[in-house]
PDB file of all heavy atoms in Angstrom:
ATOM      1  N   THR A 193       0.835  -1.193   0.000  1.00  0.00           N
ATOM      2  CA  THR A 193       0.000   0.000   0.000  1.00  0.00           C
ATOM      3  C   THR A 193       0.874   1.248   0.000  1.00  0.00           C
ATOM      4  O   THR A 193       1.843   1.337   0.757  1.00  0.00           O
ATOM      5  CB  THR A 193      -0.921   0.031   1.238  1.00  0.00           C
ATOM      6  OG1 THR A 193      -1.771  -1.116   1.236  1.00  0.00           O
ATOM      7  CG2 THR A 193      -1.789   1.279   1.226  1.00  0.00           C
ATOM      8  N   ARG A 194       0.512   2.206  -0.858  1.00  0.00           N
ATOM      9  CA  ARG A 194       1.137   3.536  -0.864  1.00  0.00           C
ATOM     10  C   ARG A 194       0.225   4.469  -0.064  1.00  0.00           C
ATOM     11  O   ARG A 194      -0.991   4.489  -0.282  1.00  0.00           O
ATOM     12  CB  ARG A 194       1.278   4.040  -2.301  1.00  0.00           C
ATOM     13  CG  ARG A 194       2.126   3.129  -3.177  1.00  0.00           C
ATOM     14  CD  ARG A 194       1.841   3.365  -4.658  1.00  0.00           C
ATOM     15  NE  ARG A 194       0.488   2.954  -4.996  1.00  0.00           N
ATOM     16  CZ  ARG A 194      -0.043   3.078  -6.215  1.00  0.00           C
ATOM     17  NH1 ARG A 194       0.672   3.612  -7.188  1.00  0.00           N
ATOM     18  NH2 ARG A 194      -1.269   2.685  -6.460  1.00  0.00           N
ATOM     19  N   TYR A 195       0.801   5.239   0.834  1.00  0.00           N
ATOM     20  CA  TYR A 195       0.037   6.116   1.719  1.00  0.00           C
ATOM     21  C   TYR A 195       0.436   7.567   1.496  1.00  0.00           C
ATOM     22  O   TYR A 195       1.604   7.868   1.218  1.00  0.00           O
ATOM     23  CB  TYR A 195       0.299   5.782   3.189  1.00  0.00           C
ATOM     24  CG  TYR A 195       0.071   4.349   3.566  1.00  0.00           C
ATOM     25  CD1 TYR A 195       1.106   3.414   3.454  1.00  0.00           C
ATOM     26  CD2 TYR A 195      -1.168   3.912   4.037  1.00  0.00           C
ATOM     27  CE1 TYR A 195       0.907   2.086   3.812  1.00  0.00           C
ATOM     28  CE2 TYR A 195      -1.372   2.586   4.394  1.00  0.00           C
ATOM     29  CZ  TYR A 195      -0.336   1.679   4.271  1.00  0.00           C
ATOM     30  OH  TYR A 195      -0.532   0.368   4.610  1.00  0.00           O
ATOM     31  N   ALA A 196      -0.545   8.454   1.650  1.00  0.00           N
ATOM     32  CA  ALA A 196      -0.266   9.888   1.618  1.00  0.00           C
ATOM     33  C   ALA A 196      -1.018  10.556   2.765  1.00  0.00           C
ATOM     34  O   ALA A 196      -2.190  10.243   3.021  1.00  0.00           O
ATOM     35  CB  ALA A 196      -0.697  10.499   0.289  1.00  0.00           C
ATOM     36  N   ALA A 197      -0.321  11.457   3.459  1.00  0.00           N
ATOM     37  CA  ALA A 197      -0.939  12.247   4.528  1.00  0.00           C
ATOM     38  C   ALA A 197      -0.385  13.659   4.448  1.00  0.00           C
ATOM     39  O   ALA A 197       0.814  13.855   4.199  1.00  0.00           O
ATOM     40  CB  ALA A 197      -0.651  11.635   5.899  1.00  0.00           C
ATOM     41  N   SER A 198      -1.244  14.637   4.660  1.00  0.00           N
ATOM     42  CA  SER A 198      -0.814  16.030   4.592  1.00  0.00           C
ATOM     43  C   SER A 198       0.260  16.313   5.638  1.00  0.00           C
ATOM     44  O   SER A 198       0.367  15.616   6.649  1.00  0.00           O
ATOM     45  CB  SER A 198      -2.000  16.962   4.828  1.00  0.00           C
ATOM     46  OG  SER A 198      -2.480  16.800   6.163  1.00  0.00           O
ATOM     47  N   GLN A 199       1.054  17.355   5.376  1.00  0.00           N
ATOM     48  CA  GLN A 199       2.109  17.682   6.329  1.00  0.00           C
ATOM     49  C   GLN A 199       1.543  18.040   7.695  1.00  0.00           C
ATOM     50  O   GLN A 199       2.153  17.749   8.729  1.00  0.00           O
ATOM     51  CB  GLN A 199       2.969  18.818   5.770  1.00  0.00           C
ATOM     52  CG  GLN A 199       3.861  18.343   4.640  1.00  0.00           C
ATOM     53  CD  GLN A 199       4.801  19.404   4.113  1.00  0.00           C
ATOM     54  OE1 GLN A 199       5.619  19.113   3.261  1.00  0.00           O
ATOM     55  NE2 GLN A 199       4.707  20.630   4.605  1.00  0.00           N
ATOM     56  N   LYS A 200       0.343  18.646   7.727  1.00  0.00           N
ATOM     57  CA  LYS A 200      -0.283  18.953   9.012  1.00  0.00           C
ATOM     58  C   LYS A 200      -0.560  17.671   9.784  1.00  0.00           C
ATOM     59  O   LYS A 200      -0.268  17.573  10.986  1.00  0.00           O
ATOM     60  CB  LYS A 200      -1.584  19.723   8.788  1.00  0.00           C
ATOM     61  CG  LYS A 200      -2.326  20.052  10.078  1.00  0.00           C
ATOM     62  CD  LYS A 200      -3.625  20.797   9.798  1.00  0.00           C
ATOM     63  CE  LYS A 200      -4.371  21.087  11.098  1.00  0.00           C
ATOM     64  NZ  LYS A 200      -5.668  21.791  10.837  1.00  0.00           N
ATOM     65  N   LYS A 201      -1.100  16.670   9.095  1.00  0.00           N
ATOM     66  CA  LYS A 201      -1.394  15.398   9.769  1.00  0.00           C
ATOM     67  C   LYS A 201      -0.104  14.659  10.098  1.00  0.00           C
ATOM     68  O   LYS A 201       0.004  14.013  11.154  1.00  0.00           O
ATOM     69  CB  LYS A 201      -2.307  14.543   8.897  1.00  0.00           C
ATOM     70  CG  LYS A 201      -2.725  13.234   9.556  1.00  0.00           C
ATOM     71  CD  LYS A 201      -3.937  12.604   8.900  1.00  0.00           C
ATOM     72  CE  LYS A 201      -5.214  13.301   9.333  1.00  0.00           C
ATOM     73  NZ  LYS A 201      -6.440  12.550   8.961  1.00  0.00           N
ATOM     74  N   MET A 202       0.889  14.752   9.238  1.00  0.00           N
ATOM     75  CA  MET A 202       2.167  14.099   9.514  1.00  0.00           C
ATOM     76  C   MET A 202       2.800  14.662  10.789  1.00  0.00           C
ATOM     77  O   MET A 202       3.276  13.912  11.640  1.00  0.00           O
ATOM     78  CB  MET A 202       3.113  14.282   8.330  1.00  0.00           C
ATOM     79  CG  MET A 202       2.713  13.527   7.074  1.00  0.00           C
ATOM     80  SD  MET A 202       2.835  11.737   7.257  1.00  0.00           S
ATOM     81  CE  MET A 202       4.592  11.535   7.373  1.00  0.00           C
ATOM     82  N   ARG A 203       2.788  15.979  10.918  1.00  0.00           N
ATOM     83  CA  ARG A 203       3.423  16.592  12.089  1.00  0.00           C
ATOM     84  C   ARG A 203       2.721  16.210  13.379  1.00  0.00           C
ATOM     85  O   ARG A 203       3.348  16.139  14.438  1.00  0.00           O
ATOM     86  CB  ARG A 203       3.459  18.108  11.911  1.00  0.00           C
ATOM     87  CG  ARG A 203       4.451  18.538  10.842  1.00  0.00           C
ATOM     88  CD  ARG A 203       4.488  20.031  10.629  1.00  0.00           C
ATOM     89  NE  ARG A 203       5.494  20.361   9.613  1.00  0.00           N
ATOM     90  CZ  ARG A 203       5.275  21.113   8.551  1.00  0.00           C
ATOM     91  NH1 ARG A 203       4.077  21.647   8.357  1.00  0.00           N
ATOM     92  NH2 ARG A 203       6.243  21.361   7.688  1.00  0.00           N
ATOM     93  N   ALA A 204       1.424  15.948  13.285  1.00  0.00           N
ATOM     94  CA  ALA A 204       0.677  15.499  14.470  1.00  0.00           C
ATOM     95  C   ALA A 204       0.886  14.023  14.753  1.00  0.00           C
ATOM     96  O   ALA A 204       0.413  13.520  15.780  1.00  0.00           O
ATOM     97  CB  ALA A 204      -0.815  15.778  14.268  1.00  0.00           C
ATOM     98  N   SER A 205       1.592  13.323  13.852  1.00  0.00           N
ATOM     99  CA  SER A 205       1.733  11.864  13.960  1.00  0.00           C
ATOM    100  C   SER A 205       3.133  11.427  14.359  1.00  0.00           C
ATOM    101  O   SER A 205       3.492  10.264  14.198  1.00  0.00           O
ATOM    102  CB  SER A 205       1.364  11.208  12.619  1.00  0.00           C
ATOM    103  OG  SER A 205       0.069  11.579  12.209  1.00  0.00           O
ATOM    104  N   ALA A 206       3.922  12.342  14.911  1.00  0.00           N
ATOM    105  CA  ALA A 206       5.307  12.010  15.249  1.00  0.00           C
ATOM    106  C   ALA A 206       5.398  10.870  16.251  1.00  0.00           C
ATOM    107  O   ALA A 206       6.364  10.095  16.236  1.00  0.00           O
ATOM    108  CB  ALA A 206       6.024  13.251  15.787  1.00  0.00           C
ATOM    109  N   ASN A 207       4.397  10.744  17.135  1.00  0.00           N
ATOM    110  CA  ASN A 207       4.442   9.700  18.162  1.00  0.00           C
ATOM    111  C   ASN A 207       3.747   8.407  17.740  1.00  0.00           C
ATOM    112  O   ASN A 207       3.647   7.464  18.521  1.00  0.00           O
ATOM    113  CB  ASN A 207       3.812  10.219  19.456  1.00  0.00           C
ATOM    114  CG  ASN A 207       4.623  11.339  20.075  1.00  0.00           C
ATOM    115  OD1 ASN A 207       5.849  11.343  20.013  1.00  0.00           O
ATOM    116  ND2 ASN A 207       3.948  12.318  20.668  1.00  0.00           N
ATOM    117  N   THR A 208       3.248   8.349  16.517  1.00  0.00           N
ATOM    118  CA  THR A 208       2.635   7.123  16.014  1.00  0.00           C
ATOM    119  C   THR A 208       3.680   6.015  15.918  1.00  0.00           C
ATOM    120  O   THR A 208       4.806   6.253  15.446  1.00  0.00           O
ATOM    121  CB  THR A 208       2.032   7.362  14.609  1.00  0.00           C
ATOM    122  OG1 THR A 208       0.966   8.290  14.722  1.00  0.00           O
ATOM    123  CG2 THR A 208       1.523   6.068  13.995  1.00  0.00           C
ATOM    124  N   ASN A 209       3.328   4.833  16.363  1.00  0.00           N
ATOM    125  CA  ASN A 209       4.211   3.679  16.156  1.00  0.00           C
ATOM    126  C   ASN A 209       3.968   3.174  14.733  1.00  0.00           C
ATOM    127  O   ASN A 209       3.161   2.293  14.495  1.00  0.00           O
ATOM    128  CB  ASN A 209       3.920   2.588  17.180  1.00  0.00           C
ATOM    129  CG  ASN A 209       4.869   1.408  17.062  1.00  0.00           C
ATOM    130  OD1 ASN A 209       5.531   1.216  16.046  1.00  0.00           O
ATOM    131  ND2 ASN A 209       4.930   0.594  18.106  1.00  0.00           N
ATOM    132  N   ILE A 210       4.677   3.805  13.790  1.00  0.00           N
ATOM    133  CA  ILE A 210       4.406   3.534  12.378  1.00  0.00           C
ATOM    134  C   ILE A 210       4.769   2.105  11.991  1.00  0.00           C
ATOM    135  O   ILE A 210       4.175   1.532  11.063  1.00  0.00           O
ATOM    136  CB  ILE A 210       5.145   4.560  11.481  1.00  0.00           C
ATOM    137  CG1 ILE A 210       4.572   4.531  10.058  1.00  0.00           C
ATOM    138  CG2 ILE A 210       6.651   4.309  11.500  1.00  0.00           C
ATOM    139  CD1 ILE A 210       3.126   4.947   9.954  1.00  0.00           C
ATOM    140  N   GLN A 211       5.709   1.495  12.707  1.00  0.00           N
ATOM    141  CA  GLN A 211       6.046   0.099  12.407  1.00  0.00           C
ATOM    142  C   GLN A 211       4.840  -0.807  12.678  1.00  0.00           C
ATOM    143  O   GLN A 211       4.540  -1.717  11.897  1.00  0.00           O
ATOM    144  CB  GLN A 211       7.248  -0.348  13.251  1.00  0.00           C
ATOM    145  CG  GLN A 211       8.498   0.486  13.058  1.00  0.00           C
ATOM    146  CD  GLN A 211       9.141   0.296  11.690  1.00  0.00           C
ATOM    147  OE1 GLN A 211       8.815  -0.616  10.954  1.00  0.00           O
ATOM    148  NE2 GLN A 211      10.063   1.180  11.334  1.00  0.00           N
ATOM    149  N   GLN A 212       4.128  -0.520  13.775  1.00  0.00           N
ATOM    150  CA  GLN A 212       2.925  -1.294  14.073  1.00  0.00           C
ATOM    151  C   GLN A 212       1.824  -1.002  13.060  1.00  0.00           C
ATOM    152  O   GLN A 212       1.141  -1.904  12.586  1.00  0.00           O
ATOM    153  CB  GLN A 212       2.437  -0.994  15.496  1.00  0.00           C
ATOM    154  CG  GLN A 212       1.179  -1.778  15.868  1.00  0.00           C
ATOM    155  CD  GLN A 212       0.838  -1.664  17.332  1.00  0.00           C
ATOM    156  OE1 GLN A 212       1.699  -1.393  18.158  1.00  0.00           O
ATOM    157  NE2 GLN A 212      -0.416  -1.878  17.678  1.00  0.00           N
ATOM    158  N   THR A 213       1.659   0.286  12.720  1.00  0.00           N
ATOM    159  CA  THR A 213       0.632   0.675  11.752  1.00  0.00           C
ATOM    160  C   THR A 213       0.796  -0.087  10.438  1.00  0.00           C
ATOM    161  O   THR A 213      -0.146  -0.699   9.926  1.00  0.00           O
ATOM    162  CB  THR A 213       0.714   2.185  11.450  1.00  0.00           C
ATOM    163  OG1 THR A 213       0.584   2.917  12.665  1.00  0.00           O
ATOM    164  CG2 THR A 213      -0.356   2.614  10.471  1.00  0.00           C
ATOM    165  N   LEU A 214       1.997  -0.051   9.886  1.00  0.00           N
ATOM    166  CA  LEU A 214       2.227  -0.646   8.577  1.00  0.00           C
ATOM    167  C   LEU A 214       2.216  -2.169   8.640  1.00  0.00           C
ATOM    168  O   LEU A 214       1.764  -2.831   7.695  1.00  0.00           O
ATOM    169  CB  LEU A 214       3.546  -0.130   7.996  1.00  0.00           C
ATOM    170  CG  LEU A 214       3.602   1.391   7.782  1.00  0.00           C
ATOM    171  CD1 LEU A 214       4.929   1.804   7.156  1.00  0.00           C
ATOM    172  CD2 LEU A 214       2.440   1.873   6.921  1.00  0.00           C
ATOM    173  N   ARG A 215       2.718  -2.719   9.746  1.00  0.00           N
ATOM    174  CA  ARG A 215       2.654  -4.180   9.890  1.00  0.00           C
ATOM    175  C   ARG A 215       1.216  -4.657   9.905  1.00  0.00           C
ATOM    176  O   ARG A 215       0.856  -5.635   9.231  1.00  0.00           O
ATOM    177  CB  ARG A 215       3.374  -4.620  11.177  1.00  0.00           C
ATOM    178  CG  ARG A 215       3.176  -6.095  11.498  1.00  0.00           C
ATOM    179  CD  ARG A 215       3.869  -6.503  12.782  1.00  0.00           C
ATOM    180  NE  ARG A 215       3.561  -5.652  13.903  1.00  0.00           N
ATOM    181  CZ  ARG A 215       2.409  -5.685  14.574  1.00  0.00           C
ATOM    182  NH1 ARG A 215       1.443  -6.513  14.213  1.00  0.00           N
ATOM    183  NH2 ARG A 215       2.213  -4.890  15.608  1.00  0.00           N
ATOM    184  N   GLU A 216       0.359  -3.985  10.691  1.00  0.00           N
ATOM    185  CA  GLU A 216      -1.043  -4.395  10.766  1.00  0.00           C
ATOM    186  C   GLU A 216      -1.731  -4.251   9.412  1.00  0.00           C
ATOM    187  O   GLU A 216      -2.503  -5.125   9.000  1.00  0.00           O
ATOM    188  CB  GLU A 216      -1.779  -3.570  11.826  1.00  0.00           C
ATOM    189  CG  GLU A 216      -1.401  -3.927  13.251  1.00  0.00           C
ATOM    190  CD  GLU A 216      -2.190  -3.127  14.278  1.00  0.00           C
ATOM    191  OE1 GLU A 216      -3.122  -2.400  13.876  1.00  0.00           O
ATOM    192  OE2 GLU A 216      -1.876  -3.232  15.479  1.00  0.00           O
ATOM    193  N   ASN A 217      -1.459  -3.151   8.708  1.00  0.00           N
ATOM    194  CA  ASN A 217      -2.083  -2.943   7.409  1.00  0.00           C
ATOM    195  C   ASN A 217      -1.656  -4.012   6.405  1.00  0.00           C
ATOM    196  O   ASN A 217      -2.479  -4.546   5.646  1.00  0.00           O
ATOM    197  CB  ASN A 217      -1.730  -1.556   6.872  1.00  0.00           C
ATOM    198  CG  ASN A 217      -2.482  -0.445   7.580  1.00  0.00           C
ATOM    199  OD1 ASN A 217      -3.267  -0.694   8.490  1.00  0.00           O
ATOM    200  ND2 ASN A 217      -2.232   0.785   7.171  1.00  0.00           N
ATOM    201  N   LEU A 218      -0.365  -4.320   6.370  1.00  0.00           N
ATOM    202  CA  LEU A 218       0.130  -5.325   5.436  1.00  0.00           C
ATOM    203  C   LEU A 218      -0.417  -6.703   5.776  1.00  0.00           C
ATOM    204  O   LEU A 218      -0.858  -7.447   4.901  1.00  0.00           O
ATOM    205  CB  LEU A 218       1.659  -5.331   5.452  1.00  0.00           C
ATOM    206  CG  LEU A 218       2.348  -6.352   4.542  1.00  0.00           C
ATOM    207  CD1 LEU A 218       1.934  -6.151   3.086  1.00  0.00           C
ATOM    208  CD2 LEU A 218       3.870  -6.244   4.691  1.00  0.00           C
ATOM    209  N   LEU A 219      -0.407  -7.031   7.062  1.00  0.00           N
ATOM    210  CA  LEU A 219      -0.918  -8.331   7.484  1.00  0.00           C
ATOM    211  C   LEU A 219      -2.409  -8.466   7.168  1.00  0.00           C
ATOM    212  O   LEU A 219      -2.892  -9.547   6.801  1.00  0.00           O
ATOM    213  CB  LEU A 219      -0.685  -8.518   8.987  1.00  0.00           C
ATOM    214  CG  LEU A 219      -1.113  -9.863   9.583  1.00  0.00           C
ATOM    215  CD1 LEU A 219      -0.380 -11.011   8.915  1.00  0.00           C
ATOM    216  CD2 LEU A 219      -0.868  -9.887  11.091  1.00  0.00           C
ATOM    217  N   ARG A 220      -3.149  -7.349   7.278  1.00  0.00           N
ATOM    218  CA  ARG A 220      -4.581  -7.382   6.982  1.00  0.00           C
ATOM    219  C   ARG A 220      -4.831  -7.778   5.529  1.00  0.00           C
ATOM    220  O   ARG A 220      -5.709  -8.587   5.231  1.00  0.00           O
ATOM    221  CB  ARG A 220      -5.202  -6.020   7.272  1.00  0.00           C
ATOM    222  CG  ARG A 220      -6.713  -5.971   7.100  1.00  0.00           C
ATOM    223  CD  ARG A 220      -7.260  -4.564   7.303  1.00  0.00           C
ATOM    224  NE  ARG A 220      -6.647  -3.951   8.479  1.00  0.00           N
ATOM    225  CZ  ARG A 220      -5.959  -2.825   8.444  1.00  0.00           C
ATOM    226  NH1 ARG A 220      -5.808  -2.174   7.311  1.00  0.00           N
ATOM    227  NH2 ARG A 220      -5.438  -2.330   9.547  1.00  0.00           N
ATOM    228  N   THR A 221      -4.043  -7.235   4.612  1.00  0.00           N
ATOM    229  CA  THR A 221      -4.247  -7.575   3.203  1.00  0.00           C
ATOM    230  C   THR A 221      -3.966  -9.055   2.957  1.00  0.00           C
ATOM    231  O   THR A 221      -4.655  -9.699   2.160  1.00  0.00           O
ATOM    232  CB  THR A 221      -3.359  -6.714   2.283  1.00  0.00           C
ATOM    233  OG1 THR A 221      -1.982  -7.005   2.507  1.00  0.00           O
ATOM    234  CG2 THR A 221      -3.616  -5.234   2.502  1.00  0.00           C
ATOM    235  N   ILE A 222      -2.978  -9.601   3.641  1.00  0.00           N
ATOM    236  CA  ILE A 222      -2.677 -11.030   3.502  1.00  0.00           C
ATOM    237  C   ILE A 222      -3.820 -11.864   4.070  1.00  0.00           C
ATOM    238  O   ILE A 222      -4.222 -12.888   3.492  1.00  0.00           O
ATOM    239  CB  ILE A 222      -1.347 -11.365   4.200  1.00  0.00           C
ATOM    240  CG1 ILE A 222      -0.191 -10.613   3.524  1.00  0.00           C
ATOM    241  CG2 ILE A 222      -1.085 -12.868   4.188  1.00  0.00           C
ATOM    242  CD1 ILE A 222       1.106 -10.664   4.286  1.00  0.00           C
ATOM    243  N   SER A 223      -4.380 -11.428   5.209  1.00  0.00           N
ATOM    244  CA  SER A 223      -5.508 -12.147   5.809  1.00  0.00           C
ATOM    245  C   SER A 223      -6.707 -12.150   4.873  1.00  0.00           C
ATOM    246  O   SER A 223      -7.413 -13.154   4.747  1.00  0.00           O
ATOM    247  CB  SER A 223      -5.890 -11.500   7.146  1.00  0.00           C
ATOM    248  OG  SER A 223      -4.825 -11.533   8.060  1.00  0.00           O
ATOM    249  N   TYR A 224      -6.950 -11.022   4.206  1.00  0.00           N
ATOM    250  CA  TYR A 224      -8.076 -10.937   3.288  1.00  0.00           C
ATOM    251  C   TYR A 224      -7.857 -11.831   2.070  1.00  0.00           C
ATOM    252  O   TYR A 224      -8.806 -12.430   1.549  1.00  0.00           O
ATOM    253  CB  TYR A 224      -8.292  -9.490   2.855  1.00  0.00           C
ATOM    254  CG  TYR A 224      -8.842  -8.564   3.928  1.00  0.00           C
ATOM    255  CD1 TYR A 224      -9.052  -9.004   5.236  1.00  0.00           C
ATOM    256  CD2 TYR A 224      -9.150  -7.245   3.640  1.00  0.00           C
ATOM    257  CE1 TYR A 224      -9.554  -8.148   6.203  1.00  0.00           C
ATOM    258  CE2 TYR A 224      -9.657  -6.379   4.602  1.00  0.00           C
ATOM    259  CZ  TYR A 224      -9.852  -6.836   5.893  1.00  0.00           C
ATOM    260  OH  TYR A 224     -10.350  -5.994   6.853  1.00  0.00           O
ATOM    261  N   ASP A 225      -6.621 -11.910   1.588  1.00  0.00           N
ATOM    262  CA  ASP A 225      -6.313 -12.846   0.506  1.00  0.00           C
ATOM    263  C   ASP A 225      -6.678 -14.272   0.912  1.00  0.00           C
ATOM    264  O   ASP A 225      -7.280 -15.032   0.138  1.00  0.00           O
ATOM    265  CB  ASP A 225      -4.824 -12.802   0.162  1.00  0.00           C
ATOM    266  CG  ASP A 225      -4.442 -11.588  -0.671  1.00  0.00           C
ATOM    267  OD1 ASP A 225      -5.321 -11.013  -1.331  1.00  0.00           O
ATOM    268  OD2 ASP A 225      -3.252 -11.226  -0.657  1.00  0.00           O
ATOM    269  N   LYS A 226      -6.288 -14.640   2.125  1.00  0.00           N
ATOM    270  CA  LYS A 226      -6.553 -15.996   2.595  1.00  0.00           C
ATOM    271  C   LYS A 226      -8.050 -16.254   2.725  1.00  0.00           C
ATOM    272  O   LYS A 226      -8.530 -17.349   2.412  1.00  0.00           O
ATOM    273  CB  LYS A 226      -5.856 -16.231   3.938  1.00  0.00           C
ATOM    274  CG  LYS A 226      -4.336 -16.291   3.840  1.00  0.00           C
ATOM    275  CD  LYS A 226      -3.708 -16.557   5.197  1.00  0.00           C
ATOM    276  CE  LYS A 226      -2.197 -16.688   5.091  1.00  0.00           C
ATOM    277  NZ  LYS A 226      -1.579 -16.949   6.428  1.00  0.00           N
ATOM    278  N   LEU A 227      -8.802 -15.252   3.202  1.00  0.00           N
ATOM    279  CA  LEU A 227     -10.245 -15.414   3.346  1.00  0.00           C
ATOM    280  C   LEU A 227     -10.897 -15.679   1.994  1.00  0.00           C
ATOM    281  O   LEU A 227     -11.895 -16.388   1.903  1.00  0.00           O
ATOM    282  CB  LEU A 227     -10.854 -14.167   3.993  1.00  0.00           C
ATOM    283  CG  LEU A 227     -12.343 -14.241   4.340  1.00  0.00           C
ATOM    284  CD1 LEU A 227     -12.627 -15.334   5.363  1.00  0.00           C
ATOM    285  CD2 LEU A 227     -12.837 -12.902   4.862  1.00  0.00           C
ATOM    286  N   ASN A 228     -10.329 -15.130   0.922  1.00  0.00           N
ATOM    287  CA  ASN A 228     -10.864 -15.345  -0.418  1.00  0.00           C
ATOM    288  C   ASN A 228     -10.296 -16.583  -1.098  1.00  0.00           C
ATOM    289  O   ASN A 228     -10.597 -16.841  -2.265  1.00  0.00           O
ATOM    290  CB  ASN A 228     -10.599 -14.122  -1.293  1.00  0.00           C
ATOM    291  CG  ASN A 228     -11.581 -12.997  -1.030  1.00  0.00           C
ATOM    292  OD1 ASN A 228     -12.585 -13.187  -0.363  1.00  0.00           O
ATOM    293  ND2 ASN A 228     -11.280 -11.821  -1.544  1.00  0.00           N
ATOM    294  N   GLY A 229      -9.469 -17.340  -0.389  1.00  0.00           N
ATOM    295  CA  GLY A 229      -8.900 -18.545  -0.990  1.00  0.00           C
ATOM    296  C   GLY A 229      -7.868 -18.262  -2.055  1.00  0.00           C
ATOM    297  O   GLY A 229      -7.618 -19.096  -2.925  1.00  0.00           O
ATOM    298  N   LEU A 230      -7.230 -17.092  -2.013  1.00  0.00           N
ATOM    299  CA  LEU A 230      -6.200 -16.736  -2.992  1.00  0.00           C
ATOM    300  C   LEU A 230      -4.881 -17.353  -2.548  1.00  0.00           C
ATOM    301  O   LEU A 230      -4.010 -16.693  -1.986  1.00  0.00           O
ATOM    302  CB  LEU A 230      -6.109 -15.219  -3.120  1.00  0.00           C
ATOM    303  CG  LEU A 230      -7.359 -14.552  -3.709  1.00  0.00           C
ATOM    304  CD1 LEU A 230      -7.306 -13.044  -3.522  1.00  0.00           C
ATOM    305  CD2 LEU A 230      -7.500 -14.902  -5.186  1.00  0.00           C
TER     306      LEU A 230
END
C-alpha cells in the first residue's frame, strides 16, 4: 500500500508507532487474501 498524509497530519503523527501501523495494514491484506482462498 502507498500512503499519503498532509504535512499537518504528519506533524501530528510524530508519536505514532508507524512500524505497528504498517505491519497491521500489510498483514490485513494477507488475511483478506486468505479469506478469499487466494
Side-chain angles (χ1 to χ4, degrees):
T193 300
R194 300 160 293 178
Y195 306 89
S198 65
Q199 287 184 176
K200 178 181 179 181
K201 183 162 282 193
M202 291 293 292
R203 289 179 178 128
S205 304
N207 294 325
T208 295
N209 184 342
I210 196 64
Q211 302 290 347
Q212 180 170 336
T213 303
L214 299 182
R215 172 181 51 76
E216 288 182 7
N217 286 1
L218 179 58
L219 182 59
R220 184 184 315 121
T221 65
I222 297 169
S223 300
Y224 289 4
D225 283 338
K226 291 181 177 180
L227 186 62
N228 281 348
L230 294 168

